Amino acid sequence: MPVDAQGPAGEPDAAVPGQRVLPHTWEEARATAFTVAGPLPALDLALAQAAGRKLAADVFALQPMPHYASSAMDGWAVAGSPPWILAEPGRRLSPGQAVPIVTGGLLPPGAKAVLRSEAGLLSTDDDGLPVLVLGGAARPGEPKNGQHIRPAGQEAAQGELLAKAGTVLNPAHISLAALGGLDTLSVLGRPAVQLVLTGDEVVQSGIPAPGRVRDAFTPQLGGVVELLGGTVVGLRRAADNLAATLEALADAEGNPADVVVTTGATGRSSADFLRPAIERMGGIFHIDGIAMRPGHPSLLAEFPDGRFLVGLPGNPLAAMVALLTVGAPLLARLGSSPMPPTFEVACGSPIKEYHGPTRIVPYRLVYGLASPCANTDSAMMRGLAAADGLMVVPPHGAKMGEALTALGLPWK
Ligand SMILES: Nc1nc2c(c(=O)[nH]1)N[C@H]1C(S)=C(S)[C@@H](COP(=O)(O)OP(=O)(O)OC[C@H]3O[C@@H](n4cnc5c(N)ncnc54)[C@H](O)[C@@H]3O)O[C@H]1N2
Ligand code: MOO
């Protein structure tokens, strides 16, 4: 391991092509993954594509809402007092005139109220001419001035603020924008993520033969990436050879990714082709190993085309720890979100000193204390399945009740 990759303050230097960086601590790895990227640019999306996205700019009504005075009921637009003579549609109403109108219909000028259809009767006057009179279900005093009229601008004036930048758009916001006259919304960029899974021994279904292993990632990794703010644009499998790895890491034309998340092949054995492939493609390593267990061989690299690569180890728990340590801050940063927060938990049982790196331990909260889960070897998933979070145990261990840094799980 070269020592010349170390800066004057003992911090790992910015990556240089062909040069290895020193392993990062868990904290350094998170910080590096967050600061190595910048927020993706905002983009305009059609309303139908914008739900769930975060607004990049304030949204203002392009027109008064509603943009014309309309009827809130089926019935008649009326002016003055009953009886009303039925006027020709499209003309200004004079006192004593009425015209049929439907819900949402444009109110004619001069109209003072809308009489509901069940509150009026078509009749004839003394001369046998058709008139509208009160009747049926008319309530006392109906129609009052302005009754059942939706005035223009009742909900919002033109130019009024409808939603603030930073709002996560729900379906009601989308309707609101449509009613405000907008066709598109400016939303913050969300990183597009290509998944690349390695491992010739990995099988997709059924009971694997000895030497084969069920794929622990395909059924869930994309879901976790989405919870972390990424959009999965594809999943590829790479056979354990250099050519296949290079092919799988190539950017997809017409469907470009911002981040490639790989699983497996982070080791240095003759069956691991990830590092050689990254080097062959001119990639630089921002993180090449983390002083943590599990997940120590995790990688963060950057290709000359600007795509980032998060290399997760093949062992399932190690991969999830690596994803939450490196992938989560990177995806947050690209998506203009803050650093995923840490918090403190009180350790629920004494943890012995360990001659090795920081341990990232799935814990369960028992009576408010963080109790280490069982079955947390790097190839196991029972511990994480039962966990409430991950706690960061330093090499010297922890005392009962000691405050430890912890990380939440995106699905909790
Ligand atoms: N000599 C050393 N050997 C290993 C070291 C080391 O430091 N020196 N580190 C160990 C650790 S820790 C890890 S983690 C792994 C990293 O391995 P790779 O990232 O190269 O991954 P693979 O070798 O491809 O696979 C490791 C393990 O994971 C299983 N795997 C892979 N993909 C899947 C999947 N989709 N679903 C379920 N399981 C998967 C694979 O079958 C292996 O059992 O290296 C150690 N070795
Ligand atoms: O560090 Mo490995 O990633 O423990 O299993």
Side-chain angles (χ1 to χ4, degrees):
M1 192 170 300
V3 279
D4 55 355
Q6 184 150 348
E11 292 295 314
D13 271 344
V16 175
Q19 193 178 52
R20 282 184 56 199
V21 288
L22 287 174
H24 290 61
T25 64
W26 182 78
E27 291 82 1
E28 286 168 354
R30 272 178 29 99
T32 299
F34 189 72
T35 50
V36 84
L40 292 170
L43 65 159
D44 287 340
L45 283 186
L47 297 188
Q49 267 75 57
R53 302 294 295 255
K54 208 181 261 188
L55 272 181
D58 292 347
V59 173
F60 301 97
L62 296 183
Q63 60 180 9
M65 296 167 62
H67 62 287
Y68 60 93
S70 66
S71 172
M73 294 283 174
D74 298 328
W76 294 270
V78 298
S81 319
W84 298 279
I85 295 167
L86 290 178
E88 243 179 80
R91 292 262 181 92
R92 180 177 191 87
L93 289 188
S94 302
Q97 287 189 323
V99 72
I101 197 163
V102 290
T103 305
L106 177 63
L107 209 73
K112 295 287 184 266
V114 168
L115 182 71
R116 295 171 301 141
S117 46
E118 54 271 43
L121 280 176
L122 285 175
S123 177
T124 46
D125 66 7
D126 295 344
D127 302 324
L129 293 171
V131 286
L132 172 67
V133 295
L134 288 174
R139 298 186 185 117
E142 189 172 359
K144 295 190 182 78
N145 241 2
Q147 200 172 9
H148 305 311
I149 290 176
R150 292 181 181 141
Q154 185 181 37
E155 185 175 7
Q158 183 173 348
E160 202 171 321
L161 179 69
L162 298 182
K164 284 192 153 194
T167 302
V168 177
L169 293 163
N170 63 31
H173 291 122
I174 303 297
S175 293
L176 183 64
L179 295 170
L182 291 107
D183 298 319
T184 59
L185 287 168
S186 174
V187 299
L188 296 176
R190 185 146 82 180
V193 179
Q194 173 76 50
L195 303 179
V196 174
L197 276 56
T198 70
D200 291 348
E201 75 285 13
V202 173
V203 298
Q204 302 307 313
S205 61
I207 308 291
R212 304 251 160 187
V213 59
R214 268 297 293 272
D215 183 356
F217 301 130
T218 299
Q220 56 85 13
L221 186 59
V224 183
V225 164
E226 300 261 345
L227 287 174
L228 295 176
T231 298
V232 176
V233 294
L235 185 151
R236 297 175 182 164
R237 292 176 211 287
D240 290 330
N241 64 69
L242 184 60
T245 308
L246 286 168
E247 197 180 325
L249 294 183
D251 203 3
E253 247 179 68
N255 196 14
D258 301 299
V259 178
V260 182
V261 173
T262 63
T263 63
T266 60
R268 297 174 190 280
S269 80
S270 57
D272 297 321
F273 293 94
L274 186 57
R275 276 188 182 74
I278 294 168
E279 279 162 12
R280 180 74 75 88
M281 292 167 74
I284 53 172
F285 291 90
H286 293 293
I287 297 175
D288 190 357
I290 303 173
M292 69 174 184
R293 185 143 230 126
H296 79 84
S298 310
L299 296 174
L300 173 58
E302 186 177 351
F303 292 118
D305 61 15
R307 286 176 303 147
F308 291 96
L309 178 142
V310 177
L312 311 178
N315 281 320
L317 178 60
M320 300 315 286
V321 168
L323 181 62
L324 299 182
T325 300
V326 178
L330 177 71
L331 294 174
R333 177 68 167 171
L334 290 167
S336 303
S337 291
M339 176 72 144
T342 57
F343 49 94
E344 283 194 344
V345 290
C347 188
S349 63
I351 301 178
K352 281 196 191 127
E353 185 180 349
Y354 173 81
H355 295 288
T358 298
R359 284 161 287 169
I360 311 299
V361 180
Y363 70 84
R364 277 185 65 205
L365 280 178
V366 181
Y367 299 117
L369 294 176
S371 184
C373 294
N375 299 305
T376 56
D377 282 357
S378 71
M380 297 178 174
M381 283 305 255
R382 284 181 77 179
L384 187 63
D388 291 310
L390 298 174
M391 60 187 182
V392 182
V393 181
H396 59 75
K399 296 192 192 77
M400 172 87 180
E402 187 175 328
L404 292 177
T405 300
L407 200 55
L409 300 172
W411 52 87
K412 289 296 274 190

